[in-house]
Amino acid sequence: MEHTIELGYAVVEVADVDAVAGFFTDVVGLAPGEPTPAGHRTWTDDDVAQRVVVTRGLANDLAVLGFEAVDDAGFDTVVDRLGAAGHDVRAGTETEAAERRVTRLAVVDAPWGTPVEVATGLTRGSRPDTPLMPGGFLTRGEGFGHAVVGTTAFDESVRFATDGLGMVRSDYLEMEIAAGIELEVHFFHCNARHHTLALARVPFDMPTKLHHLMFEANERDDVGAAFDRAFAAGLPLPNGLGLHDNDRMFSFYVESPAGFQVEVGHGARQITEPWSDDRRYDRISAWGHQPVVHAPGP
Ligand SMILES: [Fe+2]
C-alpha cells in the first residue's frame, strides 16, 4: 500500500468550548494554536498549524475528519478514487481552504454522517512547545493520531474507507461484551500507523459518533504523566492504563468535557509491508484498560 494520505485534522463541535479548551491544553498537553480565520480555537500536536479545531455547537461530536494527501498527485488519486467509488466529491471553496489553512481542499460526505475532507498543503511552522508532553508526539509520516467512529452504516463506511479513501484493513476485533451483545471494530491503515481510522458497528445511533481521538506520545512516561493529570482533574477514566492486544499500544482513555474520549498512548507497533497480519482479535487489551473509579470526595 502506498502512503498517500494521513490523518490531517479533526473538527469537533462542542457546547462548552472553554471546558474543552482547558482539557486539550492542561490534560492532554496539546499546544494551543492561532484561531482560524473564522475565529475558531485550534490545537496541535506538532508543527502543523491546526490539528484540532473546536467549533461551538450542541453536537459534542466530530464535525469533520480531514485527511492530508502527501502531495498533489496523491490528492488527485484520492479524489478520483472517491468519485469512482460513487461518492459525490466537491471542491472546497477558497474561504473553506483558508479556514483549514490548506492549499487544496475537497469535501465528501462519509456514510457515518460527517463530512470528510481531503487536503494538501497544510500550513506548517515550527514545532510548538508542549511542556506537559516534553517528549512530543509521534506524527511524522503518520498524521496527528487516529480516530474511532461508531456507526450504524458500518458496511458502507468500511467501503468508503477502503474503496474510497484507499485504506487497508489492519485487523479486526470481534468479542461479546455482554450476553448477546457483540462488539465489532475494524482497524484501517493508510501509512505506517497501525490504524488511522477504526470503525465500530453500533446497533443504533449513539449520542456521539466519535468514540475517541488518539494522540501518540514519543515517551512512555509522558503517557503516565497525562494519566495523572486526567485523574487529578477528576475526569471520567473509562479505561485506565493498559496495553491493546492488536496494535500493542500502551495507553489510557479519558472522557473529555464534551463526552467523546481521548486516548493518550505510546509505543504502538507499526505497519510493515506487505501487511500479512490482518486477523481477528477477541479481546481489546492484553492487560489493563480497566475503568478507573475515583474515590468519593471527603
Ligand atoms: Fe484508539
Side-chain angles (χ1 to χ4, degrees):
M1 185 214 58
E2 247 179 88
H3 171 199
T4 307
I5 54 170
E6 50 193 62
L7 196 55
Y9 53 87
V11 181
V12 291
E13 178 186 314
V14 310
D16 189 341
V17 172
D18 288 338
V20 170
F23 171 76
F24 281 139
T25 304
D26 300 328
V27 176
V28 183
L30 302 178
E34 295 291 317
T36 68
H40 300 303
R41 294 171 75 174
T42 68
W43 281 263
T44 186
D45 63 353
D46 67 356
D47 58 341
V48 171
Q50 51 191 51
R51 292 296 205 175
V52 178
V53 177
V54 174
T55 63
R56 192 183 300 274
L58 296 178
N60 282 323
D61 203 355
L62 183 69
V64 176
L65 202 56
F67 289 88
E68 177 180 17
V70 295
D71 53 26
D72 281 325
F75 179 91
D76 294 335
T77 298
V78 176
V79 168
D80 290 349
R81 192 169 41 215
L82 281 162
H87 299 285
D88 193 9
V89 188
R90 69 170 176 87
T93 65
E94 266 181 43
T95 305
E96 288 171 328
E99 173 70 5
R100 300 287 182 250
R101 293 200 174 94
V102 303
T103 52
R104 296 177 74 190
L105 183 71
V107 186
V108 60
D109 286 325
W112 57 76
T114 75
V116 154
E117 296 177 354
V118 182
T120 51
L122 274 61
T123 299
R124 287 178 155 82
S126 55
R127 194 171 267 263
D129 282 340
T130 50
L132 295 179
M133 300 296 268
F137 294 90
L138 178 65
T139 64
R140 193 163 303 280
E142 299 189 21
F144 82 78
H146 71 225
V148 178
V149 172
T151 177
T152 53
F154 179 80
D155 297 323
E156 301 91 314
S157 295
V158 166
R159 283 196 296 274
F160 175 83
T162 55
D163 301 349
L165 291 172
M167 305 180 100
V168 173
R169 193 172 71 180
S170 308
D171 44 51
Y172 62 105
L173 174 70
E174 280 178 351
M175 63 182 289
E176 195 172 37
I177 49 175
I181 301 183
E182 280 280 325
L183 176 66
E184 182 179 357
V185 187
H186 291 212
F187 300 84
F188 302 93
H189 63 267
C190 50
N191 52 57
R193 191 182 293 287
H194 173 274
H195 58 280
T196 288
L197 175 70
L199 295 168
R201 188 194 294 275
V202 297
F204 46 83
D205 287 324
M206 310 294 276
T208 62
K209 300 175 192 72
L210 178 63
H211 181 269
H212 69 270
L213 295 174
M214 187 285 301
F215 301 93
E216 186 166 3
N218 288 317
E219 300 291 340
R220 192 189 62 155
D221 286 354
D222 288 354
V223 178
F227 175 83
D228 281 353
R229 292 192 296 274
F231 185 83
L235 291 164
L237 290 156
N239 304 96
L241 293 164
L243 187 82
H244 280 308
D245 200 10
N246 65 339
D247 70 356
R248 310 305 291 180
M249 177 172 273
F250 169 74
S251 67
F252 73 95
Y253 292 69
V254 56
E255 188 178 305
S256 76
F260 58 78
Q261 298 177 23
V262 166
E263 178 183 17
V264 181
H266 166 76
R269 70 175 174 147
Q270 300 213 310
I271 294 294
T272 51
E273 298 288 352
W275 182 247
S276 58
D277 203 20
D278 178 6
R279 60 190 171 94
R280 174 179 179 270
Y281 288 81
D282 61 5
R283 58 178 187 170
I284 296 173
S285 306
W287 58 265
H289 285 145
Q290 310 296 343
V292 174
V293 179
H294 292 278

